[in-house]
Amino acid sequence: MEFLLRFVLIDVPEAFLLLAIGFAVFNRSVFEDWKKALFFSMPFSAAGEILGLSQVAYQPKILLMFLFYILLLRVVFRTRLLLSVAMATAAMGSTIMSEFVLFMIFNSQHIYWIDILEGKWLQYAASFLYLLVLFLFTSILRVLKVDLGRLIPRNRHNRYLLMLILMGSVEFLLILFMNTSFFIRDNNSPLFQFYTPQFQLVFQLLILALFIVIVILFRIYINLTINRVEEETETPYLQNINDLLTAIRSLKHDSLNHYTAINGFIKEGLHDHAREYVQQILKETVSIEQAAEASVQVLEGIKNPAVSSLLQSKMAICLAERISCTITISGSGQFSFIKTYDLIKVLGNLFDNAIRATSHELEEDRYIRFEWGQTNKEQYLYIENSGPTIPKEKLQEIFQLGYTTKKDGEGGVGLAVVKSVTERYGGKIAVKSENGVTSFRISFLSK
């Protein structure tokens, strides 16, 4: 009769709560399929009783229950292996932590394991307190809506970070496991008659092996982080170099056209025409040089070298495309709170979008005006360009991923990225398009 009461009132609720914890770490309720949950709890509870009656040592018992937990999940709920392992780890980890908390509570009251074993009411009190701790763990996980599924990384870099965290957690649980074992052994538990120095050595070697794995994973993670930072740092500069090379090729093409025209005038004996043509080119060159010098002086006030390099490359593109580009920099903020990589995304995409839109205009009408400044309340960035007017009903659609006005269907990413980065840092973006002039204004509250 006592065995039946213990099985119904303690063992089955324990199994049910451990299953609930396994579900809770993935933000799922065990009551989604309570019939299967009860079907899981019965054999799991029976297995625990059998191991207890067989006086199996604490560590092998935990390990066997861990494996049986995985097996039952696979059979009853048809869960995937990795998911089953994660749920079993959470459940068994909760068991170890609950027992550790339990022993700490009783030891603080000078009640030891041998005392609990000798007193029937103390056994029931310890069991119900243990179930209460498991219930609290489950409740906390459900209230916090923990979901390990959302933490599963998509890229290699983050996968190594997850592995590092998992290995560290297992290492911590093993150390806690050993400490709990010492508490039980020091309380003269008969469960530890098989607890030998050799068995302890195995666990110590396992902890050492995990530590070595953690060191290796940490080294790999650091190298991947360094490589990722280098790639993110190099990408803007490589893009700037490509822009400059594109501008050089365009200028070279224009120069060849000019030389061909001059050569044609000379061959035909039209020396006056050739002289007028050269004078016109010289005037344009002087005007371009003056504008370039003025812009370079403005860019000297930019603190971020990556941003300065980006704007110089975009100016070179404007020069090659015969686009009048005016840049005004004022204030000292310059979005210093935004990561360089994200800032490059915003500026690069806005300028590329402006250059592309302006290229539809006649050469004499092409212009881009860029202003970067701050007021007492905000820091802002403003870019205006000539080009086709965007219909009012389309102004919000241009920020949607995949939206593009190109005939070949390419693009549709740049402005979506700009909006995503802006909102991530708490900023606002406004767009206006009227009478062949389109402007974007990004602003952040001054900090």
Side-chain angles (χ1 to χ4, degrees):
M1 186 63 180
E2 182 180 345
F3 170 81
L4 185 60
L5 285 174
R6 185 173 67 249
F7 183 78
V8 174
L9 298 179
I10 297 174
D11 294 338
V12 174
E14 177 192 14
F16 192 85
L17 286 171
L18 290 177
L19 181 63
I21 289 174
F23 273 80
V25 294
F26 288 95
N27 196 26
R28 293 173 57 188
S29 172
V30 73
F31 294 103
E32 292 176 0
D33 197 338
W34 61 271
K35 292 182 180 180
K36 286 186 178 180
L38 287 177
F39 186 74
F40 171 95
S41 303
M42 294 298 180
F44 189 79
S45 304
E49 276 294 336
I50 292 172
L51 293 175
L53 293 173
S54 303
Q55 293 188 337
V56 176
Y58 181 72
Q59 288 91 345
K61 179 181 178 181
I62 289 291
L63 180 60
L64 289 172
M65 295 302 291
F66 174 79
L67 296 175
F68 195 54
Y69 190 104
I70 295 173
L71 178 62
L72 282 176
L73 282 176
R74 298 274 289 163
V75 172
V76 177
F77 291 96
R78 306 290 183 182
T79 56
R80 293 171 298 180
L81 181 59
L82 289 178
L83 181 63
S84 301
V85 172
M87 293 172 68
T89 302
M92 293 300 103
S94 299
T95 296
I96 297 170
M97 293 184 68
S98 298
E99 291 175 348
F100 185 76
V101 170
L102 197 65
F103 286 121
M104 292 293 291
I105 292 173
F106 278 103
N107 283 355
S108 66
Q109 302 300 316
H110 302 290
I111 301 174
Y112 302 100
W113 184 251
I114 191 65
D115 301 321
I116 296 174
L117 292 178
E118 291 177 352
K120 183 180 296 185
W121 292 109
L122 272 177
Q123 290 182 35
Y124 282 112
S127 298
F128 284 116
L129 185 58
Y130 166 71
L131 293 178
L132 178 61
V133 174
L134 287 180
F135 177 76
L136 288 175
F137 282 165
T138 308
S139 300
I140 291 171
L141 290 172
R142 292 296 294 157
V143 169
L144 295 178
K145 296 183 179 180
V146 175
D147 187 0
L148 296 182
R150 292 182 300 181
L151 300 179
I152 297 176
R154 303 296 180 187
N155 57 55
R156 185 185 177 199
H157 178 267
N158 290 336
R159 282 199 297 269
Y160 273 102
L161 177 60
L162 179 62
M163 291 172 61
L164 187 60
I165 294 173
L166 289 176
M167 289 298 101
S169 301
V170 173
E171 178 89 349
F172 169 75
L173 288 176
L174 281 176
I175 294 173
L176 186 62
F177 189 76
M178 292 289 294
N179 289 337
T180 305
S181 303
F182 283 123
F183 269 105
I184 299 176
R185 186 188 65 178
D186 291 342
N187 282 276
N188 301 316
S189 169
L191 296 176
F192 275 78
Q193 56 183 320
F194 301 111
Y195 191 87
T196 63
Q198 291 80 6
F199 201 84
Q200 180 182 352
L201 178 62
V202 171
F203 268 82
Q204 289 175 341
L205 290 175
L206 182 58
I207 291 173
L208 178 61
L210 277 175
F211 177 76
I212 294 173
V213 171
I214 289 172
V215 171
I216 294 173
L217 288 175
F218 184 73
R219 187 171 183 272
I220 295 173
Y221 176 74
I222 290 296
N223 288 333
L224 288 174
T225 302
I226 293 173
N227 293 336
R228 181 180 178 181
V229 171
E230 288 178 349
E231 289 175 2
E232 290 183 352
T233 304
E234 289 175 359
T235 299
Y237 287 104
L238 291 175
Q239 182 61 45
N240 294 343
I241 291 172
N242 289 331
D243 288 344
L244 289 172
L245 290 175
T246 300
I248 290 171
R249 285 194 293 268
S250 179
L251 291 173
K252 178 182 177 182
H253 179 74
D254 289 346
S255 298
L256 288 175
N257 289 334
H258 292 317
Y259 295 148
T260 302
I262 294 171
N263 185 52
F265 285 137
I266 293 174
K267 281 184 177 181
E268 295 295 331
L270 302 173
H271 299 93
D272 292 337
H273 288 79
R275 183 170 56 255
E276 291 177 2
Y277 190 81
V278 170
Q279 288 176 351
Q280 183 179 354
I281 293 174
L282 288 174
K283 288 180 180 179
E284 289 182 1
T285 303
V286 171
S287 177
I288 291 173
E289 286 183 354
Q290 290 175 347
E293 289 178 2
S295 298
V296 168
Q297 290 177 356
V298 171
L299 293 179
E300 289 177 353
I302 296 178
K303 300 177 182 179
N304 193 319
V307 173
S308 179
S309 174
L310 171 75
L311 294 180
Q312 287 181 24
S313 67
K314 299 306 178 187
M315 286 171 55
I317 290 290
C318 290
L319 179 63
E321 296 291 333
R322 296 291 191 271
I323 301 172
S324 173
C325 182
T326 305
I327 296 178
T328 304
I329 307 292
S330 62
S332 58
Q334 299 182 9
F335 299 171
S336 57
F337 53 89
I338 299 180
K339 294 180 181 178
T340 298
Y341 188 61
D342 287 331
L343 188 55
I344 291 296
K345 287 180 182 178
V346 171
L347 294 173
N349 282 306
L350 285 177
F351 255 98
D352 289 342
N353 189 69
I355 291 171
R356 187 164 50 248
T358 306
S359 63
H360 295 283
E361 297 290 289
L362 297 174
E363 287 190 8
E364 58 269 21
D365 296 328
R366 297 177 183 178
Y367 84 92
I368 294 175
R369 184 166 71 87
F370 177 80
E371 184 179 346
W372 197 0
Q374 67 182 81
T375 64
N376 293 332
K377 296 182 179 180
E378 63 178 6
Q379 297 183 41
Y380 67 90
L381 182 154
Y382 179 85
I383 186 167
E384 176 185 296
N385 62 268
S386 58
T389 302
I390 304 173
K392 289 185 178 180
E393 62 273 13
K394 299 288 186 180
L395 286 179
Q396 294 307 315
E397 293 183 19
I398 63 176
F399 295 109
Q400 296 177 5
L401 188 63
Y403 179 86
T404 180
T405 56
K406 293 182 180 179
K407 294 181 180 180
D408 55 10
E410 294 183 358
V413 177
L415 290 178
V417 170
V418 171
K419 184 177 182 181
S420 174
V421 173
T422 300
E423 292 180 347
R424 192 193 316 156
Y425 287 92
K428 296 180 180 180
I429 182 169
V431 58
K432 186 177 179 181
S433 186
E434 294 178 350
N435 303 321
V437 176
T438 301
S439 64
F440 291 86
R441 191 179 191 276
I442 295 176
S443 59
F444 299 89
L445 294 177
S446 297
K447 298 183 179 181

